Amino acid sequence: MTGYLTTHVLDTAKGTPAEGLLIDLYRIDGEARTHLRSIKTNADGRTDEQILPAAEFALGTYELVFHTGAYLDATGVPPESPRFLDQIPIRFGMSEASHYHVPLLLSPFGYSTYRGS
């Protein structure tokens, strides 16, 4: 079995998937942070393709950065200055070749994540 990475973003304040939310993926190697790709969520709050496909999968430490401020602005959530949750970085390790699913439950003033399936 080979590994890969996916996500799913739900807007818990609206009770809907978070469509159009930009996500950046980085590989972390010591102090080095290498940008691997940028991708947006679709109408279901998922990405149209795996964030890190099997062909590019490698064990290690990664970071997903969810650009929540821009998403909240686009959905009409009244902005505060600065926005409380402008970007949400989630750093995690992938220690085995399997499916890693890192979902985000989002509201303007809080969020939650977990290792999903």
Side-chain angles (χ1 to χ4, degrees):
M1 175 180 193
T2 188
Y4 60 98
L5 174 64
T6 60
T7 192
H8 187 198
V9 185
L10 297 174
D11 184 330
T12 58
K14 291 173 34 182
T16 62
E19 180 179 5
L21 193 146
L22 177 65
I23 303 166
D24 286 316
L25 173 66
Y26 296 88
R27 179 167 171 82
I28 309 299
D29 193 16
E31 295 298 313
R33 184 176 182 243
T34 304
H35 183 261
L36 300 180
R37 82 176 19 90
S38 296
I39 195 165
K40 282 192 173 185
T41 56
N42 59 25
D44 192 36
R46 300 175 188 276
T47 57
D48 288 332
E49 55 196 48
Q50 297 165 349
I51 298 172
L52 186 63
E56 300 172 33
F57 183 85
L59 302 180
T61 303
Y62 292 84
E63 184 175 82
L64 288 170
V65 177
F66 296 86
H67 293 267
T68 53
Y71 164 79
L72 293 169
D73 289 345
T75 59
V77 173
E80 64 280 354
S81 184
R83 190 171 279 288
F84 182 67
L85 292 175
D86 186 45
Q87 295 182 3
I88 298 174
I90 300 174
R91 192 169 286 192
F92 56 95
M94 296 194 292
S95 60
E96 59 184 282
S98 68
H99 176 194
Y100 284 82
H101 184 68
V102 182
L104 181 71
L105 304 175
L106 168 68
S107 75
F109 298 102
Y111 69 93
S112 173
T113 190
Y114 54 93
R115 182 177 175 184
S117 58

